[in-house]
Amino acid sequence: MEPDSPPAELILTHPRQTLGSIQLDWNAQPGSYLDFEGQTYAVLERRHRYFLRSGRYQLHKIALYVQSAQRPSERSLIDGYWVIGDISCRYNARSELVRCAVNPEGPCNSCRFYERE
């Protein structure tokens, strides 16, 4: 992000509470993970708030909706973004947030439902 961008407000989704603000030097998108005060969080949603000044909209606030999470040990890179789990499995959701429908908690390597695509 730009050096003059506003800090991002971290909001825990359940129970809903504000954790604090953080200055990010990268673009935290849904599916990414960040560390804040010794805890790891998964970004679920990103919202921007703008205000009109001198006929132009300017970024006023960034809100990141997060939940407490562990970084997944199994990740694969597809088309420039990271997905959870083994993408060679037929049931992989190819998502940054969900591993698969049959074994969402993982791990993939010992899953009895694993089917190679």
Side-chain angles (χ1 to χ4, degrees):
M1 300 193 82
E2 300 169 6
D4 60 343
S5 67
E9 180 182 11
L10 297 180
I11 302 168
L12 189 63
T13 56
H14 186 74
R16 176 113 121 220
Q17 69 183 49
T18 298
L19 298 173
S21 295
I22 186 171
Q23 188 71 40
L24 297 173
D25 58 355
W26 58 286
N27 198 359
Q29 295 295 328
S32 60
Y33 293 85
L34 59 88
D35 296 317
F36 181 73
E37 295 182 353
Q39 178 70 33
T40 300
Y41 297 96
V43 177
L44 302 177
E45 187 176 343
R46 178 186 174 104
R47 293 185 185 174
H48 293 170
R49 302 282 188 254
Y50 296 89
F51 66 88
L52 186 63
R53 178 184 287 169
S54 303
R56 298 180 66 189
Y57 284 101
Q58 294 183 346
L59 182 60
H60 172 66
K61 180 180 174 182
I62 299 170
L64 297 177
Y65 291 84
V66 299
Q67 76 179 19
S68 182
Q70 283 187 289
R71 292 181 191 268
S73 59
E74 300 172 306
R75 295 191 323 167
S76 302
L77 187 64
I78 296 181
D79 299 328
Y81 66 95
W82 289 99
V83 298
I84 300 173
D86 183 356
I87 60 168
S88 67
C89 179
R90 174 181 182 195
Y91 298 110
N92 187 281
R94 285 157 178 68
S95 166
E96 303 99 335
L97 302 173
V98 178
R99 180 185 310 269
C100 71
V102 296
N103 188 15
E105 296 299 317
C108 294
N109 60 2
S110 61
C111 179
R112 65 186 177 108
F113 300 103
Y114 177 83
E115 287 185 29
R116 190 158 194 70
E117 256 187 334

